[in-house]
Each structure stands twice: as C-alpha cells, then as structure tokens.
Amino acid sequence: MIRLSPLRPFTLGVLAAAGLISPSLQAQSSQDQSSPQQSNAEATFAGGCFWCMEPPYDKQPGVTATISGYIGGELENPSYEEVSKGGTGHAEVVQIEYDSEQISYAQLLEIFWHNIDPFAVDRQFCDVGDQYRSAIFYHDEAQRELAEASKAEMEARFDREIATQIVPATTFWPAEAYHQDYYQKNPVRYKFYRYSCGRDGRLEEVWGEEAGGPSFE
C-alpha cells in the first residue's frame, strides 16, 4: 500500500486559498502537526532488582526512557526502605517509555522474558520477597492479550508453569533519584551486585545463549 505523505501547512494554506481543500481539513491537519504522536506508549515490568532491568531496554531503538520505581501496592509514595522490607504490596519495576512505531510491545515482552527467572515465586535470583516478584503490569487490553499469549508460549516452551503474574497497572511511583540509571552512575558496585546475586548464571541456566534477550538495533 502506498502511504501519502502528510501535506505541509504552507501547501494546505495555498490549497485552501484556491478552494481546493476545506478549512476543516486544514484545521485537522494543523492539529495533527502540532499534537504529540500517538505512538508514544508505556510498558511496566517487574523482574527483581530494578537496577538490572534498565540496561536491556536502554540499548533498544525506540525506547526513550527507563524509570525505576514501585507499583502494585496501596501505600502512597512508598520509599525504598519501606518496599524493600516487604509488606507494602509493591513490586520493584522498570517503567519503559517507548515509540511503538520503532519497537513493539511484543518485542519488549521478548526482552523481558529473557531477563528474568520465570519459575521463581516471590523472588528473583538472590532477592527474596514479593517485592521482587516477576510480573507484567499491563496498561490496556492490547497489552494484556499480548502478555497472556507470550506467557502461554513460555509455558509451552518449557512445559511447566510460569510464575510471572499478569496484572493491571496501578499507580506508579518513581524510585529515589539515586536508583535511576544506577548501573551507569555506579558501574563497579552494580557489576559486583549483579555477579554476587547470581543473576547472569541463572539466566544462562534458563535461557542458554538467549540469556539477556535480543537487541533490536
């Protein structure tokens, strides 16, 4: 299918003056030119320590931001100390802002699965507690359907139950500033934590050469 390029405002003005285009169409086009693109979207995933869930997404085309934070509990504006102790109902998550014209939600899901242990219940690697559970927090029905389908694929692949939850997204609370981009700000401490937690070793056990997920660059 041939897609026609949108008319520029100057061209529309000339056509309108000549009576070749209606003022309403010109107004609609001008609104489209000034409005944000509808391709901007959000995805929210829990995969244990949020420090470790930012890097796989930051390198992907179309991902404009990754924000570590908390979701799933009732406590307002929770702190790291409160969430890490457990009992608040929140999970550590990474919220991804992305351009769906450059990277799809299905691709984000593929990256997610290859960066978690999908069989662990209320834990990920060395971090134990429901605050470190794996979960997909969907923002709309389309995301829910894709998440359910991808989970079914994982269960068929491994022929066993997947512990990852699929639940609606609730209020997202960004984590404290020192948690954001931790792997870039504190690379030595981050690498030591990741190694000592056994994250990469377990990912390789589960996923083999696919551990860490694909890059869509």
Side-chain angles (χ1 to χ4, degrees):
M1 179 180 69
I2 299 175
R3 177 173 295 178
L4 298 178
S5 300
L7 295 174
R8 297 177 182 274
F10 175 78
T11 305
L12 285 166
V14 173
L15 292 175
L20 299 177
I21 188 171
S22 69
S24 61
L25 179 56
Q26 183 182 12
Q28 178 63 47
S29 179
S30 298
Q31 182 179 5
D32 292 343
Q33 291 286 337
S34 61
S35 298
Q37 293 297 315
Q38 295 300 311
S39 58
N40 293 337
E42 291 180 336
T44 306
F45 302 122
C49 174
F50 43 32
W51 296 346
C52 300
M53 292 300 290
E54 288 187 12
Y57 290 104
D58 279 339
K59 65 183 181 181
Q60 305 294 337
V63 172
T64 56
T66 55
I67 307 166
S68 289
Y70 318 107
I71 201 170
E74 296 183 0
L75 181 66
E76 292 191 3
N77 197 25
S79 67
Y80 176 74
E81 288 73 19
E82 291 170 326
V83 173
S84 62
K85 289 179 182 178
T88 69
H90 293 87
E92 287 194 13
V93 298
V94 60
Q95 187 162 95
I96 302 154
E97 298 176 1
Y98 67 101
D99 181 347
S100 62
E101 292 186 353
Q102 296 187 55
I103 190 167
S104 68
Y105 188 71
Q107 289 173 318
L108 297 179
L109 285 169
E110 187 175 353
I111 298 165
F112 166 74
W113 289 116
H114 290 89
N115 281 278
I116 67 163
D117 178 350
F119 313 117
V121 178
D122 287 342
R123 67 177 299 160
Q124 282 291 292
F125 314 104
C126 68
D127 294 314
V128 180
D130 67 349
Q131 66 272 36
Y132 298 110
R133 63 191 182 274
S134 68
I136 300 168
F137 292 88
Y138 60 86
H139 291 262
D140 54 38
E141 277 301 295
Q143 288 190 356
R144 183 192 65 78
E145 291 176 3
L146 286 168
E148 294 284 3
S150 70
K151 181 176 179 178
E153 289 178 6
M154 294 301 108
E155 290 182 331
R157 169 176 175 162
F158 292 103
D159 193 25
R160 60 181 293 190
E161 185 177 356
I162 297 297
T164 303
Q165 301 175 4
I166 298 176
V167 291
T170 54
T171 302
F172 170 76
W173 303 96
E176 295 82 346
Y178 71 91
H179 286 298
Q180 309 300 334
D181 301 317
Y182 188 88
Y183 74 101
Q184 294 176 328
K185 298 174 182 175
N186 302 278
V188 175
R189 290 183 179 181
Y190 169 74
K191 289 177 181 178
F192 177 77
Y193 159 77
R194 187 179 179 107
Y195 173 79
S196 62
C197 199
R199 190 178 190 104
D200 292 322
R202 177 57 179 159
L203 288 177
E204 289 179 5
E205 287 181 7
V206 175
W207 299 105
E209 293 181 355
E210 298 176 37
S215 175
F216 294 102
E217 291 180 306

